[in-house]
Amino acid sequence: RKATKIVPELHNLSYERRLRHNELISLEQRKLRGQLIETFKYLNGLIDVTLEGLFERDDNVQAKNNGQKLILRNFKTSQAMNFFPFKIATTWNQLPENIVSAGNVNTLKNRLDKYWITNPPVL
């Protein structure tokens, strides 16, 4: 927030308006974007990590929005819904197929950024 106030003519604008003026995204959106990128890398074997059972693909059901739907596990407590796999799976399942089936990370980033222009994420 502080960095966007450096420009004198934007000093009196709200944080959201300063972001729009500078064509920037909020910290929450940057975090979500980074998590989606890491999920993409994990699901496509682009990172050397063994996190057994972190995500599970749903191959039995025709996915509504994309062909790589993730299974949401049932948890016994509401606190578990704040864990990374649950939060990111919900967002991932809502993305269109052309984003989740991108051939590489840069294509994913570009398509995600274009998609969010007209469909901003719900944070």
Side-chain angles (χ1 to χ4, degrees):
R1 290 178 182 240
K2 220 172 192 179
T4 61
K5 286 188 175 184
I6 293 173
V7 181
E9 53 272 2
L10 302 179
H11 183 71
N12 293 327
L13 296 178
S14 69
Y15 176 61
E16 290 77 21
R17 294 187 95 186
R18 289 192 309 265
L19 288 175
R20 272 193 305 250
H21 183 272
N22 292 317
E23 297 179 2
L24 299 172
I25 59 175
S26 69
L27 176 61
E28 292 82 13
Q29 284 179 303
R30 288 195 304 267
K31 284 182 184 177
L32 180 59
R33 184 178 185 263
Q35 291 171 342
L36 289 169
I37 292 167
E38 291 305 312
T39 301
F40 176 82
K41 289 179 185 177
Y42 175 76
L43 292 173
N44 290 287
L46 301 175
I47 52 177
D48 188 22
V49 179
T50 50
L51 301 171
E52 287 298 319
L54 182 63
F55 295 109
E56 187 177 343
R57 292 181 203 238
D58 188 355
D59 297 325
N60 297 326
V61 179
Q62 179 65 27
K64 182 179 178 184
N65 290 335
N66 66 55
Q68 298 186 31
K69 188 172 182 177
L70 300 176
I71 295 174
L72 295 172
R73 293 203 169 100
N74 292 327
F75 294 106
K76 294 182 181 182
T77 65
S78 61
Q79 293 174 338
M81 291 182 188
N82 293 323
F83 293 145
F84 172 76
F86 185 85
K87 286 171 54 175
I88 206 65
T90 303
T91 304
W92 182 267
N93 289 343
Q94 294 171 349
L95 293 174
E97 184 177 2
N98 74 319
I99 294 175
V100 299
S101 63
N104 58 53
V105 175
N106 285 331
T107 303
L108 172 84
K109 291 177 186 179
N110 293 333
R111 290 178 182 175
L112 184 60
D113 292 343
K114 287 179 184 174
Y115 177 72
W116 277 355
I117 289 171
T118 57
N119 304 292
V122 177
L123 301 172

